[in-house]
């Protein structure tokens, strides 16, 4: 997730939709713990589908059922992470293919057009797994070198997780399975 916090952190009730990538943790966990403050607030290695999403007060049974229907319409898929990318001050891994991630985002924003990826701050919300943010190029170069030998990371994307910030940390709320023969519950946090 990209930073939309103020100096005190994320507000309680903020939510997001993410695809956890637990297979990345052994490779990127140490870098994320040092260089991505969100890793220290309960955010696992992940690809963001939509952030921010709706306020927790709007996550009623009807909304959860609509999310389940939305994601059920997408097949489970495999993704590979071996290519680095950068945004200003941010190092990430780019998933291949990225089209299925983009399709998940497009499906949610088609249903909730008032909720724009990253609040509409960026033109293209390119799917990515953040390794470090708010760092100098030299720090990002060192982080890239530290992670490189552990790549590629390969994962099976079988669900999308709804996460909610409680004012202190991000908490898993609900997992929404994608359709497909190996779709099942996402990894526990």
């Amino acid at each position: 997730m990209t930073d939309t916090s103020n100096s005190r952190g994320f507000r309680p009730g903020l939510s997001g939709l993410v695809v956890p990538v637990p297979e990345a943790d052994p490779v990127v966990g140490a870098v994320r713990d040092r260089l991505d403050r969100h890793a220290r607030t309960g955010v696992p290695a992940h690809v963001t589908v939509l952030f921010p999403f709706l306020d927790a007060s709007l996550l009623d049974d009807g909304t959860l059922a609509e999310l389940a229907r939305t994601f059920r319409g997408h097949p489970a898929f495999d993704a590979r992470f071996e290519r680095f990318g950068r945004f200003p001050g941010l190092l990430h891994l780019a998933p291949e293919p990225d089209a299925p991630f983009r399709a998940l985002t497009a499906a949610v924003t088609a249903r909730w057009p008032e909720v724009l990826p990253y609040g509409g701050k960026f033109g293209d919300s390119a799917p990515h797994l953040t390794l470090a943010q708010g760092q100098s190029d030299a720090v990002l170069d060192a982080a890239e070198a530290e992670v490189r030998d552990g790549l590629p990371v390969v994962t099976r994307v079988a669900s999308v997780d709804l996460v909610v910030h409680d004012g202190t940390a991000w908490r898993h709320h609900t997992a929404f399975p994608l359709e497909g023969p190996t779709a099942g519950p996402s990894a526990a946090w």
Side-chain angles (χ1 to χ4, degrees):
M1 289 183 257
T2 299
D3 189 7
T4 63
S5 64
N6 60 31
S7 62
R8 295 184 313 262
F10 291 106
R11 67 172 174 75
L14 191 62
S15 74
L17 295 163
V18 301
V19 172
V21 184
E23 297 85 354
D25 284 326
V27 177
V28 306
V31 167
R32 290 186 70 245
D33 285 345
R34 285 193 326 271
L35 304 176
D36 181 2
R37 67 184 179 91
H38 303 303
R40 295 183 297 273
T41 62
V43 178
H46 70 281
V47 175
T48 300
V49 172
L50 186 60
F51 176 80
F53 186 53
L54 301 174
D55 187 80
S57 65
L58 301 174
L59 300 176
D60 59 17
D61 290 343
T63 301
L64 298 178
E66 187 67 24
L67 282 166
R69 279 190 295 278
T70 298
F71 293 125
R72 198 170 31 247
H74 294 266
F77 60 96
D78 295 321
R80 183 179 181 94
F81 299 83
E82 64 183 328
R83 185 174 51 84
F84 293 99
R86 293 200 185 177
F87 303 126
L90 187 142
L91 174 66
H92 69 272
L93 290 171
E96 295 176 8
D98 76 349
F101 291 103
R102 289 178 183 273
L104 293 170
T105 300
V108 178
T109 58
R111 171 56 187 86
W112 288 276
E114 71 278 13
V115 185
L116 300 174
Y118 303 109
K121 289 183 181 180
F122 311 106
D124 177 22
S125 58
H128 62 280
L129 190 155
T130 300
L131 303 178
Q133 59 182 313
Q135 307 295 324
S136 70
D137 284 342
V139 171
L140 298 181
D141 290 343
E144 189 173 314
E146 184 177 339
V147 169
R148 183 175 289 114
D149 289 343
L151 300 179
V153 170
V154 178
T155 190
R156 178 78 177 161
V157 177
S159 64
V160 175
D161 287 2
L162 173 64
V163 296
V164 177
H165 200 272
D166 66 8
T168 303
W170 288 94
R171 308 285 181 207
H172 180 268
H173 186 285
T174 308
F176 301 99
L178 304 179
E179 70 180 24
T182 61
S186 63
W189 289 31

